[in-house]
Amino acid sequence: MSTIAENLSSVRATLPAGATLVAVSKYHTAQAIAEAYAAGQRHFGESRVQELRDKQAALPADIAWHFIGHLQPNKVKYIAPYVALVHAVDTPKLLAEIHRQAEKCGRRIPCLLQLHVAAEETKYGFSLAECEAFLQSGEWRNYPCAHIVGIMCMATNTDDEVRIESDFSRAHAFFLDARQRYFADDADFGVCSWGMSDDYQLALKHGSTHVRIGSRIFAGS
Ligand SMILES: *Cc1c(COP(=O)(O)O)cnc(C)c1O
């Protein structure tokens, strides 16, 4: 077995049934992705538009490509025909542009609203209050082809597990409340995207349905 296949199977062994493993392949080669694909992996996460375009063109068509990074509205058009899930919608403007490009392609693109729960200033995302105000405004209902199916966040980059769990727990509480108040009639609203290589076990304790794991799978490749 290749190292990547071994890493994948050891990560999978730690995931509960029903959790989706997004293998974060950013900065890794198409060859590395092909090895993971051969080991059965189908969900991959990328954070740069040009890199995703090159890989999507070179790799099997049944890969579900997740865009997990900061997405500039003017680049949505390049990935709109095939992207499986946009994880980090962080402005109303981006959601509007995803709607526009999805409509042109005759599809609905699943999207997550990115919450800023981490202590660092630099990370993108809506604050809890901003996200609540945006949902309350109803503006998003004008963008049905950008289909909001859940919430994404990144925890504080720290060794302090109490802080990390508190970040995930606040995101999960927000998700549950939003589901009840705004998405009760939409069974697709069910995605909680949190947890990376170093914190996904904590994320799973707090409702994560999609873990985004890169280095633990691809390290050394
Ligand atoms: C890089 C990245 C990951 C994966 O991080 P690892 O620590 O390599 O598992 C997950 N989510 C986002 C948004 C990323 O940019």
Side-chain angles (χ1 to χ4, degrees), residues 32-50:
I33 297 172
E35 276 182 43
Y37 182 91
Q41 182 64 28
R42 291 295 178 272
H43 294 266
F44 291 92
E46 290 286 334
S47 60
R48 302 249 170 111
V49 168
Q50 187 58 49

Side-chain angles (χ1 to χ4, degrees), residues 24 26 68 152 154 196-197 212-215:
V24 175
K26 65 181 185 202
I68 63 168
M152 177 269 202
M154 282 193 267
M196 323 202 310
S197 288
R212 308 179 309 264
I213 299 183
S215 47

Side-chain angles (χ1 to χ4, degrees), residues 21-41:
L21 172 59
V22 179
V24 175
S25 46
K26 65 181 185 202
Y27 315 141
H28 296 285
T29 61
Q31 174 57 35
I33 297 172
E35 276 182 43
Y37 182 91
Q41 182 64 28

